[in-house]
């Protein structure tokens, strides 16, 4: 399904970033994670309503422990 594909893509990005780190000059490496929120455009959606739903999903990912993917 399309939402399954979108979730899988978000998970791949999340996992790649989680496995990476930043190395600032004269500092220890920093681990990095991301939270992802996405939304499929539904019939009758405006750009604003789809973006609002994606934004709400981002905050759900953060609220549920961060470093997660939430798609609707």
């Amino acid at each position: 399904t399309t939402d399954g594909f979108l979730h899988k893509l978000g998970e791949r990005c999340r996992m790649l970033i989680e496995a990476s780190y930043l190395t600032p000059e004269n500092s220890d490496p920093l681990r990095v994670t991301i939270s992802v929120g996405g939304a499929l455009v539904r019939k009758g959606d405006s750009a604003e309503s789809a973006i609002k739903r994606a934004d709400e999903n981002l905050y759900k990912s953060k609220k549920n422990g961060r470093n997660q993917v939430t798609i609707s």
Side-chain angles (χ1 to χ4, degrees):
T1 64
T2 305
D3 59 335
F5 173 78
L6 189 57
H7 191 273
K8 191 175 192 177
L9 179 63
E11 275 294 321
R12 286 187 72 186
C13 292
R14 186 196 64 74
M15 289 170 38
L16 283 169
I17 290 171
E18 182 181 39
S20 303
Y21 55 90
L22 300 173
T23 52
E25 255 185 71
N26 303 319
S27 183
D28 293 332
L30 300 172
R31 305 292 303 177
V32 180
T33 62
I34 63 168
S35 297
V36 177
L40 296 171
V41 176
R42 299 175 183 159
K43 187 174 181 174
D45 263 348
S46 63
E48 291 81 16
S49 64
I51 291 169
K52 181 178 184 225
R53 202 165 52 255
D55 191 51
E56 289 168 352
N57 286 335
L58 170 61
Y59 284 98
K60 284 180 188 175
S61 287
K62 290 180 176 185
K63 182 180 177 188
N64 292 329
R66 299 183 183 246
N67 196 29
Q68 297 183 21
V69 176
T70 305
I71 307 293
S72 67

